[in-house]
Amino acid sequence: MTRPSFVDGFGFSEGYEMKSKTIRRWSAVHTWTSLICTVFLLLLTLTGLPLIFHHEIDHLLGDAPDVKEMPADTPHLNLQQLVEAAERHRPGEVLQYFGFEDDEPNAVLTIMAATAGTEPNSSHTFMLDARTGEALETPSANGGFMLTMLRLHVDMFAGLPGKLLLAFMGVLFVVAIVSGTVLYLPFMRRLKFATVRQNKSTRLRWLDLHNLIGVVTLTWALVVGVTGVISACADLIIAAWRNDSLSAMVAPYRDAPPLTQRAPASRLLDIARDVAPGMQPDFIAFPGTRFSSEHHYAVFMKGSTHLTSHLLTPVLIDASTLQVTAVAERPWYMDAMGMSQPLHFGDYGGMPMQILWATLDVLTIIVLGSGVYLWVVRRKAARPVLEKAESVA
Amino acid sequence: MKPRQSNFWKVFAIPTVIAVLSAAGLFAALLGDGVWDSLS
């Protein structure tokens, strides 16, 4: 079946089953969603590239904390001793979080700030040697090149509005991917997979490359796009969790007087392990942070397998009596956020995965760049061709 | 209808295989403790 020829400068001119009007609509969707998000996507892909290798870059720059070699059986200080070591290191500040990392079992990630409720960007992050209580600074977590990359990537130094703007750009990116995939059919109908027409025009060569690289990186771009949108909404997800689960669990404490004397943190991990058997501690939120309440320590426990290590179960412990108030249910959206992060970072498969992520990131930059190029060239060519097509019709 | 279907698969057969393989790879690496660990 042949239809009247349809030429809009895209490089296909034969009739085919998809109606030309439908194609025009999809191509308008593809053009405009891509154009709007491209500048932001370029920022995200360019800043994402060093972030994939942040561990390696920290080591190269000498920013990684140097945890001393000591005999393997050197005993650890208890948590209260670590709390005191942290407070000695930064007098006048309070502890917000202790984090536990699998690849550094002898150090504890420590986050402190002027008040427990201080927003994350104003906090100070360092590590404590779990055996000596010695503070080890982590400069890249508090400033410098890598933090600049991270902030540009996460919120463009614009806080929640910046995150939500990037989330919206991520949604446009996903729409651009879907519409691009729909358009792939009419473009490739008469071409074999991976055809790149070399000897016609530069534009056709880049069109073919754009389509080929786009379709090959399709799944990765969708996964990283969608998980990026979910991560960008993290603040909202955490706020929803506070409203839904946390506020119900701490309801009995609503009228309780402010905490004056806090029970020592020494046994927090044992208490949490008792009620969450088989799980490992991921981090502790001290009273007053957005992951705890004014009257509770919250120990976030993670599963022991690859999959469940991304799913966190909070154990709320009364900060004056050390009684367990609740082992919180995990709402589905907290699980979605937990699963999104590794899929977005590509940090779950070691160096091969990082190289794969970087390669796909660079390929995405090429798709974005060639997309803009194709739009510019088409704009120059479209008007006379369209007029000609219309006069023929 | 028939030519349309064959057309669709002619164009999308290889991209579908690539998409399925990448999805399987991404999630297998996320879920599995075994093979990937020995590689990395």
Side-chain angles (χ1 to χ4, degrees):
Chain A
M1 151 172 117
T2 46
R3 289 178 176 280
S5 72
F6 169 76
V7 184
D8 75 346
F10 271 116
F12 53 90
S13 56
E14 290 293 315
Y16 34 74
E17 292 81 353
M18 201 188 261
K19 286 203 178 94
S20 62
K21 210 176 193 177
T22 315
I23 295 171
R24 263 180 215 276
R25 279 195 190 133
W26 278 107
S27 84
V29 170
H30 186 63
T31 303
W32 289 106
T33 50
S34 317
L35 278 178
I36 296 167
C37 74
T38 289
V39 167
F40 295 94
L41 258 295
L42 278 173
L43 169 81
L44 292 171
T45 46
L46 289 171
T47 53
L49 206 49
L51 289 174
I52 296 170
F53 298 103
H54 69 101
H55 271 296
E56 290 72 15
I57 295 175
D58 281 352
H59 275 283
L60 274 179
L61 297 178
D63 285 347
D66 194 12
V67 182
K68 261 186 264 161
E69 286 290 333
M70 289 173 84
D73 54 355
T74 311
H76 284 192
L77 299 177
N78 71 43
L79 279 182
Q80 184 57 28
Q81 291 170 312
L82 288 176
V83 169
E84 286 155 15
E87 286 167 348
R88 275 196 303 277
H89 181 60
R90 293 183 73 80
E93 292 198 347
V94 296
L95 261 170
Q96 290 184 301
Y97 306 101
F98 270 158
F100 306 96
E101 290 178 358
D102 294 339
D103 52 0
E104 198 47 87
N106 288 318
V108 177
L109 189 77
T110 308
I111 302 179
M112 295 182 80
T115 65
T118 299
E119 57 104 18
N121 289 320
S122 308
S123 302
H124 185 83
T125 302
F126 59 101
M127 299 202 84
L128 282 174
D129 191 310
R131 303 153 301 185
T132 62
E134 185 194 356
L136 308 162
E137 285 299 333
T138 53
S140 66
N142 302 303
F145 173 71
M146 287 310 287
L147 190 74
T148 306
M149 290 295 112
L150 183 67
R151 289 295 308 273
L152 284 172
H153 193 85
V154 169
D155 68 355
M156 304 182 295
F157 291 94
L160 184 61
K163 287 183 192 177
L164 296 181
L165 179 67
L166 288 178
F168 178 62
M169 293 303 144
V171 172
L172 290 182
F173 181 54
V174 170
V175 175
I177 293 172
V178 172
S179 55
T181 311
V182 173
L183 288 172
Y184 184 81
L185 178 62
F187 278 97
M188 295 303 291
R189 201 183 72 95
R190 285 149 50 80
L191 298 172
K192 264 194 173 148
F193 178 77
T195 306
V196 178
R197 288 165 287 182
Q198 294 286 358
N199 37 23
K200 295 239 168 125
S201 67
T202 317
R203 193 184 65 81
L204 271 186
R205 187 165 73 239
W206 277 108
L207 176 72
D208 290 344
L209 279 171
H210 181 83
N211 288 338
L212 172 60
I213 302 173
V215 85
V216 168
T217 57
L218 175 71
T219 305
W220 179 83
L222 266 182
V223 168
V224 174
V226 170
T227 53
V229 171
I230 295 174
S231 302
C233 295
D235 287 351
L236 301 184
I237 294 173
I238 294 164
W241 172 74
R242 285 189 66 91
N243 283 333
D244 287 0
S245 316
L246 193 64
S247 65
M249 289 182 296
V250 302
Y253 291 80
R254 198 166 291 148
D255 300 320
L259 197 66
T260 48
Q261 197 70 38
R262 197 189 278 178
S266 326
R267 291 199 56 254
L268 286 181
L269 295 185
D270 299 328
I271 296 169
R273 279 201 189 96
D274 284 345
V275 290
M279 299 184 88
Q280 309 293 325
D282 189 56
F283 72 93
I284 298 176
F286 285 78
T289 68
R290 62 177 182 159
F291 285 97
S292 56
S293 87
E294 294 293 337
H295 298 91
H296 290 88
Y297 292 108
V299 182
F300 281 73
M301 303 294 282
K302 61 180 179 185
S304 311
T305 68
H306 256 213
L307 173 63
T308 57
S309 68
H310 304 296
L311 307 177
L312 300 177
T313 299
V315 177
L316 285 176
I317 300 171
D318 185 307
S320 47
T321 65
L322 293 181
Q323 298 293 311
V324 173
T325 301
V327 180
E329 290 289 306
R330 285 192 322 256
W332 64 269
Y333 48 81
M334 288 296 268
D335 281 356
M337 192 173 77
M339 296 294 293
S340 286
Q341 286 174 346
L343 281 171
H344 188 76
F345 302 153
D347 61 354
Y348 54 92
M351 190 47 91
M353 202 77 168
Q354 286 167 284
I355 292 170
L356 181 67
W357 239 243
T359 310
L360 290 162
D361 186 285
V362 171
L363 289 175
T364 304
I365 294 174
I366 297 174
V367 174
L368 292 170
S370 59
V372 175
Y373 164 79
L374 290 168
W375 177 72
V376 170
V377 174
R378 192 189 67 159
R379 255 168 67 92
K380 279 189 194 151
R383 208 147 284 155
V385 176
L386 262 184
E387 278 161 13
K388 199 173 147 199
E390 274 158 14
S391 69
V392 171
Chain B
M1 288 309 280
K2 227 176 176 187
R4 182 186 292 197
Q5 267 189 343
S6 64
N7 233 338
F8 178 89
W9 284 114
K10 207 173 81 195
V11 171
F12 275 113
I14 298 178
T16 306
V17 171
I18 295 173
V20 169
L21 283 181
S22 9
L26 287 177
F27 287 95
L30 181 62
L31 308 185
D33 291 281
V35 185
W36 198 264
D37 278 352
S38 60
L39 285 173
S40 56

